Amino acid sequence: MVTLTIDGQEVTVPRGTTLLKAAESVGTKVPHYCYHDGLSSPAMCRLCLVEVEGAPKLQPSCVTQAQDGQVVHTGSPNAEAMRRGVLEFYLVNHPLDCPICDQSGECKLQDFVHAEGREHGRSREPKRVFGRDDFGGDVLFYGDRCVMCTRCVRFMNEVEQDPRLTVVERGNRSVIDTFFERGLDGTNWSGNIVDICPVGALVSKDFLYKQRAWDLDHTPSICPSCSQGCNIDLHTRDNLVQRLKPRTNLEVNAHWMCDHGRHNYEFMNRGDRIEAPLVKEGDRHTEVGWKEALSTMLDRAREVGGTVRAVASPFSCNEDLAALKAVVEALGGGEIVYRLARAEEEIPLKGMPTLARRRDLAPNGTGADALGLERVGDDDGTGGLETVSSHDGVVLVLGDALQDQAADFAGGASLFVYLGTHASEAVQGGDFILPVTTFAEQEGTFTNRVGRVQRFWPGLQAPGAARPAWLVLGAVASELTEAEPANTAAEAFSRWVASNEPFAGLDYASLGTRGASMNEPVSAAGD
Amino acid sequence: MAYPYVSDREVRILSKHFGDPAARTLEGALANGRYEALKKALEMDRGAVIEEVKTSGLRGRGGAGFPTGVKWSFMPKDSGKPHYLCCNADESEPGTFKDREIIRWDPHQLIEGCLIASYAIGAEHCYIYCRGEFFEASSILAKAVEDAYQAGYVGKDILGSGVNVDITVHIGAGAYICGEETGLMNSLEGRRGQPRVKPPFPAAAGLFGMPTTVNNVETLAAVPHIVEHGGEWYRQWGTEKSPGTKLFCVSGHVNRPGNYELPLGFPLKDLIHDVCGGIRDGNALKAVIPGGSSVPILSAEESEECALCYEGVIAAGSMLGCASVIVMDETTDMVKQVRRMAYFYQHESCGQCTPCREGSAWVTKILRRIEDGRGKEEDLETLVEVTTQMTGTTICVLSDSVAAPVQSSIEKFRDEYLALIRRGERVGAA
């Protein structure tokens, strides 16, 4: 450990810590472009210069290591003047097209110039023009806006380890380019370069001109596209998810997410939702209120009795699955199965061995397994429901839309209850069709492939009368067992924890936004 | 004596055989006593060679003037890693043409210096990084290296001493910045020719991440003479702080431009008016750049008392650099001259550091505008401030090199800028 003084504040940091990180630990943010936590430090943007007493020149804080007794001034007149100078240099050629730039509002050049820059730039000379280039994949390049931090080049070289980008030419003719016509097509992680670009030089085609950054609400969530459990933010507006961005969690996904996950959000915005509880009367379904639907359903359930067979979904959170299990047990017990699509192979991120787009294409297969649910069906997530479909007792379906099933699904069941978001043909035979929320509309937790339990929050409002499944099923279970129902997600979570030994001791609040591992991590092998 | 021009005031040690094509061949070189110092060095202890060079006070001839023996002593003793010597022959500073001449006329002198230096620092491989445009020089050098290999002076078990030193001649692709020592190493490794952040310094982690010393051609060419005759012998010329002789590349408005080897501390006035035969056409002297285009410009008055040694030129307000003396007479358009130098730097900036990448181009644009008669008086203040923002804020000193001529010319020839800005009057326009 070394002890140094930063802006008059004494701080002790591990040996090898950079001044930039040491300053961050006392709450001083030194502006920077080329430095990124997940990449190497070329110290070339020269924006993080700070004054170190005794050093002949200003030092780049991103590579200068803290030393015992060092006295550092991040805001000395000289350091501020030089940083102001560097910012002025950026504006010599950076176009002020903020009104039509997607990055506007989350642009580091805007931020730093507003914070430290000159009120008026002195450049009167014509700016150089590079124009726009399609880099392939989802990435569009606006050369004029580039601040030449080379984060994108380094990401492709160091993290994706598929060198597709480079700096061509030199001096102020330097420009980022692809190799001939190869571009970024076929890469699986290149969407991250849009995130790490500090300005609007690299933008997403998918998001191009779609929304202004400052209009978006950010909701911490978990990527539902595979069992890795990447931490993400839902960026929403008008009750629609507009884009997904990775959220930093060094233990799961660091700063990254794959392009498949990033672009798989339209299903959260699907419009044809079940919006009210439906009760079957004759061969028609009638909309009713929740109270009536549940009391009628409970009456029917008590009346028909018999064994239960249930289908769950690995897209449902731990709380929903636990509530389903409680209902099945209250009805006399029975088996619960789930289906999960499986990709042919993993898509690894070479620079981060613990991160990949996993084969299991759902967020909570591990949570389902931990509750004793049985995985059935094939690698497309279809089939395997013959015993459920032909069951003559109670059939419960949660979350699985039964897309591959025929209209006579569970035709012989004494009671067929469907809780879901969309009604496929197979659902039409349901005695009760109950609307539940998606993960984007409710609170809950997923258990990723290595047993890490991570929370997500609602970013969208649920349509109509849709309610979280844990709330609906919890109410049903409490009626059947005369126990107190769970009224909050936290209560639902503690019931799930209580019923699952491996998760004992986990506390909802302290999971925070980063999650925690269950007591005995499940083996990640064989995934 | 035919070599373009010579003067009886010269002390010709390194340049003794300039102009003699026979000195290029191995036979000629041996007849001139080349490789005798190598034999002597190989019988000495490595440390003793370094001590001898320290005693001589030889300072790096590439521009920075760092004591060579001290630099060598930074190399780790028992690192267990391969060590490298890089000979910097990427001579690209505008106004400089001394290394090219050493290579062209006496390549074995350089090879011998490389071998002795490699031995001293424990390097078994020396790379000579030649400027891309040195077509003739690099082919002469490559031939000389090949001959030296054949004769057993280079390669495995040199002269039966058990010492191995390989020499590779590498030709750059034509970038000024690859003459910066870490840019040179990047270029040698096949990377983009951009200077590296220091620390780590080359002696700790240089070429291929291994301990490396980078020396200029002229520095290495002086080493055999020092080893042969001793450090004290070398000190008979020059000053206390700048011992020895130095090649001065004189260009510009003098009657006899060329390379002159003179003892350090030689008066600049004498160099121009005596050695070089005075200013052309009997014109008056206007300004002198004493050390290549990267150093501040000296006015005629300042050059009067300037002694050409490291400390003497600093006292006069500039730097000796690589001793490339550019002489400008009264017909010189300083604005155009400075704009041309700024253009060179903006063209050669590697582009990684923002102040240099953006600043050098910005400064050039402003100067171009002034030159075209569209300047404003406040532009001068902007130029000074912008170049101040470019000084000391970057990885290497190319950025500082833009600042030196711009700031010094505005300080010393402000009237000329103002005459152009206010009245459109230009020097030499008639």
Side-chain angles (χ1 to χ4, degrees):
Chain A
M1 302 294 277
V2 292
T3 302
L4 67 161
T5 310
I6 298 177
D7 294 342
Q9 228 175 318
E10 200 162 274
V11 56
T12 302
V13 293
R15 190 169 291 282
T17 306
T18 62
L19 294 183
L20 189 120
K21 285 282 151 197
E24 226 164 67
S25 72
V26 294
T28 302
K29 288 203 167 153
V30 184
H32 55 268
Y33 289 126
C34 67
Y35 175 83
H36 185 278
D37 283 342
L39 302 170
S40 64
S41 309
M44 58 192 267
C45 74
R46 314 310 286 179
L47 193 54
C48 69
L49 294 174
V50 296
E51 188 159 323
V52 179
E53 281 186 16
K57 294 198 226 176
L58 297 176
Q59 299 293 307
S61 61
C62 64
V63 290
T64 309
Q65 294 185 356
Q67 277 162 13
D68 251 329
Q70 225 168 18
V71 182
V72 179
H73 305 282
T74 64
S76 75
N78 189 25
E80 280 199 350
M82 287 307 175
R83 290 206 299 266
R84 188 155 53 243
V86 173
L87 287 166
E88 186 183 17
F89 285 135
Y90 280 116
L91 294 176
V92 168
N93 278 311
H94 189 92
L96 299 181
D97 62 347
C98 309
I100 55 154
C101 177
D102 269 348
Q103 191 80 6
S104 192
E106 51 186 11
C107 170
K108 291 292 177 201
L109 189 55
Q110 280 181 338
D111 292 354
F112 296 152
V113 171
H114 278 296
E116 296 201 326
R118 296 174 66 92
E119 198 175 346
H120 297 289
R122 288 173 294 188
S123 175
R124 299 283 175 274
E125 319 306 321
K127 300 189 179 196
R128 57 138 170 65
V129 176
F130 287 129
R132 200 171 93 156
D133 193 4
D134 184 347
F135 273 5
D138 182 46
V139 182
L140 211 53
F141 175 63
Y142 286 82
D144 307 332
R145 297 176 187 157
C146 179
V147 292
M148 203 40 70
C149 67
T150 70
R151 281 183 184 182
C152 52
V153 177
R154 283 176 286 135
F155 175 84
M156 294 307 291
N157 289 354
E158 297 165 11
V159 185
E160 182 150 12
Q161 296 181 10
D162 183 1
R164 301 281 191 117
L165 298 177
T166 189
V167 180
V168 298
E169 263 291 356
R170 65 182 186 215
N172 90 324
R173 308 172 305 291
S174 304
V175 64
I176 307 291
D177 208 348
T178 53
F179 291 99
F180 306 102
E181 299 305 314
R182 196 158 164 239
L184 295 169
D185 285 327
T187 56
N188 291 300
W189 302 85
S190 60
N192 291 296
I193 66 175
V194 173
D195 302 337
I196 59 178
C197 181
V199 292
L202 296 169
V203 297
S204 159
K205 291 180 201 168
D206 180 63
F207 189 70
L208 192 68
Y209 303 140
K210 199 155 114 180
Q211 291 291 342
R212 303 314 322 238
W214 55 82
D215 284 331
L216 298 173
D217 290 318
H218 298 190
T219 307
S221 188
I222 302 299
C223 177
S225 294
C226 83
S227 58
Q228 173 76 29
C230 288
N231 289 213
I232 60 166
D233 274 321
L234 308 175
H235 287 195
T236 56
R237 193 191 177 201
D238 299 338
N239 208 35
L240 294 170
V241 176
Q242 305 287 350
R243 64 176 177 187
L244 304 182
K245 286 275 185 187
R247 179 163 54 85
T248 301
N249 187 338
L250 296 181
E251 289 174 73
V252 183
N253 56 311
H255 321 276
W256 324 118
M257 74 184 292
C258 73
D259 294 350
H260 299 263
R262 183 186 298 270
H263 295 125
N264 184 24
Y265 63 86
E266 281 298 338
F267 77 91
M268 303 170 204
N269 297 336
R270 211 172 133 177
D272 54 340
R273 292 281 293 270
I274 310 167
E275 295 199 8
L278 302 170
V279 181
K280 192 171 188 183
E281 286 172 3
D283 52 3
R284 296 185 48 200
H285 284 103
T286 312
E287 281 188 18
V288 295
W290 273 110
K291 200 166 184 181
E292 187 187 339
L294 292 188
S295 66
T296 324
M297 192 186 90
L298 278 162
D299 289 346
R300 282 282 302 280
R302 288 189 180 105
E303 184 188 316
V304 298
T307 57
V308 185
R309 285 201 174 146
V311 182
S313 162
F315 286 88
S316 293
C317 63
N318 292 317
E319 294 76 8
D320 291 355
L321 296 176
L324 175 68
K325 191 176 173 186
V327 167
V328 170
E329 276 165 10
L331 286 171
E335 66 179 26
I336 310 175
V337 299
Y338 74 93
R339 307 188 295 177
L340 207 173
R342 199 179 244 270
E344 283 196 0
E345 51 190 16
E346 279 191 359
I347 301 173
L349 180 60
K350 285 189 191 149
M352 186 173 172
T354 55
L355 176 58
R357 189 246 199 169
R358 303 294 173 182
R359 291 187 62 194
D360 281 343
L361 302 180
N364 205 25
T366 308
D369 290 342
L371 282 164
L373 275 56
E374 191 196 343
R375 184 167 177 167
V376 296
D378 56 25
D379 283 356
D380 294 326
T382 56
L385 298 183
E386 295 77 12
T387 54
V388 182
S389 180
S390 59
H391 185 53
D392 58 3
V394 176
V395 171
L396 286 177
V397 178
L398 168 63
D400 189 324
L402 307 174
Q403 293 290 356
D404 61 317
Q405 300 296 313
D408 63 349
F409 181 83
S414 58
L415 173 63
F416 173 18
V417 180
Y418 175 77
L419 296 91
T421 53
H422 303 89
S424 67
E425 198 181 35
V427 172
Q428 300 305 325
D431 297 308
F432 294 88
I433 300 176
L434 305 176
V436 295
T437 51
T438 67
F439 86 104
E441 297 156 359
Q442 68 172 84
E443 247 185 86
T445 59
F446 288 140
T447 307
N448 83 349
R449 61 191 285 278
V450 290
R452 187 182 186 88
V453 180
Q454 306 187 99
R455 286 177 67 177
F456 54 81
W457 280 261
L460 299 175
Q461 293 204 326
R467 292 289 179 272
W470 58 260
L471 186 66
V472 176
L473 292 167
V476 173
S478 88
E479 284 294 327
L480 291 168
T481 61
E482 291 173 8
E484 274 293 305
N487 292 316
T488 63
E491 283 175 28
F493 176 85
S494 45
R495 290 185 195 214
W496 165 67
V497 168
S499 65
N500 280 276
E501 182 53 33
F503 300 96
L506 289 185
D507 171 58
Y508 195 60
S510 53
L511 285 182
T513 53
R514 302 196 187 273
S517 281
M518 61 196 239
N519 296 346
E520 295 163 56
V522 296
S523 168
D527 193 304
Chain B
M1 291 296 270
Y3 182 70
Y5 300 108
V6 289
S7 161
D8 54 8
R9 298 187 67 179
E10 282 188 84
V11 178
R12 299 184 72 187
I13 298 169
L14 274 61
S15 61
K16 191 172 177 188
H17 303 292
F18 281 14
D20 173 16
R24 283 177 186 160
T25 63
L26 184 61
E27 299 73 42
L30 291 172
N32 291 334
R34 300 290 172 246
Y35 298 109
E36 290 303 317
L38 173 66
K39 287 174 193 159
K40 185 177 175 191
L42 290 174
E43 282 163 15
M44 291 164 73
D45 184 58
R46 290 173 198 274
V49 177
I50 296 179
E51 276 312 310
E52 203 61 62
V53 174
K54 272 191 188 170
T55 306
S56 76
L58 175 66
R59 293 174 67 165
R61 303 301 195 216
F66 193 82
T68 305
V70 178
K71 194 183 217 179
W72 290 1
S73 66
F74 289 155
M75 292 293 276
K77 296 289 170 293
D78 305 299
S79 65
K81 296 174 181 171
H83 292 190
Y84 292 104
L85 174 72
C86 291
C87 170
N88 189 345
D90 189 52
E91 182 181 48
S92 320
E93 180 81 2
T96 311
F97 41 86
K98 60 189 178 63
D99 298 344
R100 184 190 68 202
E101 296 302 286
I102 292 173
I103 296 171
R104 279 179 70 211
W105 296 111
D106 205 346
H108 290 282
Q109 179 180 223
L110 172 62
I111 293 169
E112 189 180 13
C114 289
L115 294 168
I116 296 171
S118 296
Y119 172 67
I121 62 167
E124 296 203 334
H125 205 138
C126 164
Y127 289 90
I128 304 178
Y129 188 99
C130 269
R131 178 177 171 180
E133 293 85 349
F134 278 4
F135 304 112
E136 188 204 12
S138 60
S139 58
I140 290 171
L141 182 61
K143 172 79 170 69
V145 170
E146 201 183 312
D147 291 347
Y149 260 107
Q150 296 289 335
Y153 294 111
V154 185
K156 300 275 172 282
D157 193 17
I158 295 170
L159 303 173
S161 63
V163 175
N164 307 321
V165 180
D166 281 307
I167 295 183
T168 303
V169 178
H170 180 93
I171 298 162
Y176 174 73
I177 198 59
C178 292
E180 199 278 346
E181 60 177 6
T182 54
L184 183 152
M185 294 188 297
N186 270 350
S187 175
L188 268 178
E189 289 179 21
R191 300 167 192 271
R192 224 178 126 77
Q194 292 180 328
R196 298 177 185 172
V197 179
K198 291 186 267 192
F201 290 93
L207 187 63
F208 304 114
M210 299 301 159
T212 304
T213 294
V214 184
N215 284 136
N216 177 254
V217 168
E218 191 186 347
T219 315
L220 290 169
V223 167
H225 304 286
I226 291 166
V227 170
E228 197 173 351
H229 303 289
E232 284 302 331
W233 167 84
Y234 193 66
R235 280 189 170 275
Q236 66 180 289
W237 300 285
T239 66
E240 175 61 30
K241 287 179 178 168
S242 310
T245 61
K246 173 92 190 73
L247 283 167
F248 289 88
C249 314
V250 188
S251 60
H253 304 154
V254 287
N255 284 317
R256 292 199 294 273
N259 269 302
Y260 297 97
E261 187 168 2
L262 298 164
L264 283 158
F266 196 83
L268 175 56
K269 189 172 62 177
D270 288 7
L271 176 65
I272 295 170
H273 296 288
D274 180 7
V275 174
C276 294
I279 310 291
R280 66 169 185 188
D281 303 336
N283 287 344
L285 178 66
K286 181 176 198 171
V288 182
I289 303 176
S293 63
S294 308
V295 306
I297 299 170
L298 293 179
S299 66
E301 301 76 60
E302 285 168 326
S303 72
E304 275 294 301
E305 299 301 318
C306 179
L308 291 169
C309 53
Y310 293 98
E311 66 279 13
V313 185
I314 287 174
S318 185
M319 285 180 292
L320 184 64
C322 44
S324 311
V325 181
I326 302 173
V327 181
M328 292 174 271
D329 72 10
E330 58 191 332
T331 65
T332 310
D333 180 346
M334 288 308 289
V335 180
K336 183 178 179 183
Q337 160 71 17
V338 171
R339 191 272 302 160
R340 187 59 187 80
M341 286 197 283
Y343 175 79
F344 171 81
Y345 288 108
Q346 73 97 22
H347 186 261
E348 294 294 342
S349 165
C350 81
Q352 58 174 342
C353 300
T354 310
C356 179
R357 179 182 68 240
E358 303 293 343
S360 60
W362 186 13
V363 164
T364 309
K365 282 178 181 174
I366 296 175
L367 287 166
R368 171 85 74 181
R369 188 158 49 74
I370 295 174
E371 197 191 343
D372 289 350
R374 294 180 288 119
K376 294 188 168 66
E377 278 181 44
E378 57 262 34
D379 286 338
L380 298 185
E381 194 190 338
T382 307
L383 281 173
V384 171
E385 281 183 31
V386 167
T387 48
T388 303
Q389 287 167 191
M390 294 170 67
T391 306
T393 52
T394 49
I395 292 175
C396 77
V397 292
L398 191 145
S399 186
D400 305 45
S401 302
V402 185
V406 172
Q407 292 186 348
S408 58
S409 69
I410 291 177
E411 182 195 329
K412 293 164 192 174
F413 303 97
R414 194 181 186 88
D415 289 346
E416 206 173 314
Y417 281 93
L418 289 176
L420 180 53
I421 291 169
R422 287 177 183 160
R423 300 186 295 277
E425 289 172 12
R426 320 179 50 145
V427 175

